[in-house]
Structures are given as C-alpha cells and as structure tokens.
Amino acid sequence: MATLPQIAVLGAGIFVKTQYIPRLAEISHLFCLKYIWSRSEESSRRAVEIAKQHFPGVECKWGDQGLNDIMQDSSLIGTAVVLAGQVQVDISLKLLKAGKHVIQEKPAATSIPEIETALASYKSVSTNPGQPIWAVAENYRFEPAFVESKKLVAGVGDMMNVQVIIEGSMNSSNPYFSSSWRRNFEGGFILDMGVHFIAGLRMIVGCEVTSVSAITSHIDRTLPPPDIISSNFKLENGCSGVFVMVVSSSSPKIIWRVVGSKGTVQVERGKVDGKHGYLVSLYSADGQCKSTFHPFCGVHEELKIFIHDIVQANLKQGNGYEAEPRSSFVEGARDVAVLEAMLESGSKGGTLVNVKKF
C-alpha cells in the first residue's frame, strides 16, 4: 500500500480546533497529520491535545525554529495555513518556496497591493518539479447548494436582477467577535466575512462583477468600521444587482436571489432537522416552487479535494497537474477585489469603482 501523504497545520486558533481538526478527522484515512504549529508552545500543545484523539502521532511545533523544521522536512508535502489574515500570505509564500503545497484560509489577502505582490512572488516560485499548489480555503464554492444553484440559474432564462442580503450575527456571543486581527485591518469583518458571500454570488451567477457603487456606514461601535455596506453592482453579462451586508443584526438572514425571465433561484441559509445548511428554491414561471436542503459540508469537501490534488500533483511530478480551479489563489483574490472596490466606493461617498481584474 502507498504511504499516506504527510501534512502540517499552521495555526492553533478557534477555527483549527472547532473546524479543521474535526473535518480532517473525517478524512483521516487519506493522509497523516504530522505537525501542528503555532507561534507559542502553549497554543500548539492545546491544539495537539485535541488532535491526538484522531491523529495519535501528531507533534507540536512552535516559533521560528518550528516553522523552519516544517519547511525543511522533506517528508511533508502539504500544509494548511490557518493564521491571522495579516501574516498568512507571507507564511504561505515561505512554504511554497520550500516546495510545500499550501491551502491557506481566507481572505486570500488583505488588500489589492498584497495580492499583486503575492501573485508575482508565486509566479517566480518554480521548485523542482513543477509549481506547488496554492489553494485558498473559502469553502462556499464547494457547498453542494451553490454547485446546484449554479446549474439551476442556467435554466431561468435571461438574468434580470441579483440580490444578496446578508444580515450577520457578529456580536459578543460569537467566538470570533474579539479576534484582534479581524479588527486591525482595513475592512475588518466586512472583508473577512464578506469574501464568502461574494464567492457565493460569483459562483451562482457564473460571471464576474465589473463595477460597484456603495454606501458604507458605522452604527455598532463595538465593531470596527464600516459595519454596514449597501452596494449596487454590475455583472459582465450586463445584469445589475444589490449586495447588502449588515455585520451584526438581531434577526440574522443570509440570502442570494437570481431573478430570470423564466424563473427565480434563491439560496437561503437555514436549519432543517437540527442541521445547518442552505435551502435552494427554484420558482418557475408557472408559480411552482421546488426546494432542496443541503447541509453544510464545504470545509470537508475543500480539504478532501486539496489532499487529492497534492497526491496527484506528486504522482505527476513535472507534468503540470491541474489543481481544482475553485480553490485557486486567484479565485480568492477576485472575491477580495470585489469587496475592496465596494469599500473604496463607500469611502468616496458612492463613486462608481471598477473591480480590479485578476
């Protein structure tokens, strides 16, 4: 039997402990988790304790020396970078230059200049053999609900209008509320959370957002500014739409709606039989409605595909294996570009801003 690929997780925060370790455990037959790294020994040890239930051989690594050990360990082929938004790109590039495949948490980067520098650096990384994979873990593109709704949109005729309404619940009872890094970069929670909703929008409509005009405001002073964004946008197919995001609302609601000449497709986050997921509804021209519920499984799917990709890339060394395009760094960069254009427009009182193309 072929030996399992070995991977490391860099980061030991809330998302690693509550999502990465359980989701990786579901596919533990596909790989071996060798290390969990954190800046501090204490947090690395805490995460390793949780992971040991599923991966008894996992080891702690921490600090600069630990990072160095990971980069120099030739038995490791893949790494998951789940760190503060401000440092992820820098560490991802170090690992890529050391020849490791990387799946990095969103946002892909914190600004357009960082994306441009990152893409230029990545282009220059050519390890032998072939370029390592750089994936961004944004998971919405892997949710069955969005895969399904993209297919349904193709059948509702000419696209007439698109609405994305996000009323979030980022208040003091949310574990990420006090996360300092999300408060300390331009766009804060709008950028960090918003990339998911833009990913969902771009996935469903199957084309790019070309220009935006937005009004931003700051109402909830416990949140970094802005905490509300209301934007008109135009798609490259000529269709217009609205994107409204309230970071914290007392009545959370998350909905994508595409109105076509022959029907409407709607995706709404909700709960059925105790499971969280998305209700996908197709309203046909004759007034009928068909709905299907898809429980969340995007994190599971994207990690499974990343493991598959790195195994295939290693088998086909030098033959230019094509990794799953939905998780490419460029896809994540395009989500950031749409939000950055909205935030820029908001700061200029609603001026029309073209979305940077990647």
Side-chain angles (χ1 to χ4, degrees), residues 45-64:
R45 288 198 184 283
R46 276 205 300 263
V48 161
E49 257 168 53
I50 297 169
K52 270 195 190 294
Q53 300 163 35
H54 313 286
F55 304 98
V58 64
E59 296 171 43
C60 293
K61 289 283 175 188
W62 63 88
D64 292 344

Side-chain angles (χ1 to χ4, degrees), residues 93 114-125 131 134:
L93 283 165
E114 188 181 31
I115 288 169
E116 291 175 328
T117 312
L119 284 170
S121 301
Y122 180 44
K123 255 189 194 128
S124 68
V125 176
Q131 194 183 36
W134 190 1

Side-chain angles (χ1 to χ4, degrees), residues 309-331:
D309 275 347
I310 66 177
V311 169
Q312 293 303 313
N314 264 37
L315 287 174
K316 298 178 180 171
Q317 289 187 350
N319 293 334
Y321 173 73
E322 287 291 318
E324 168 58 67
R326 280 177 293 171
S327 41
S328 69
F329 182 83
V330 171
E331 278 298 318

Side-chain angles (χ1 to χ4, degrees), residues 14 92 95 186 262 298:
I14 304 166
S92 293
L95 291 159
E186 203 69 33
K262 296 177 186 167

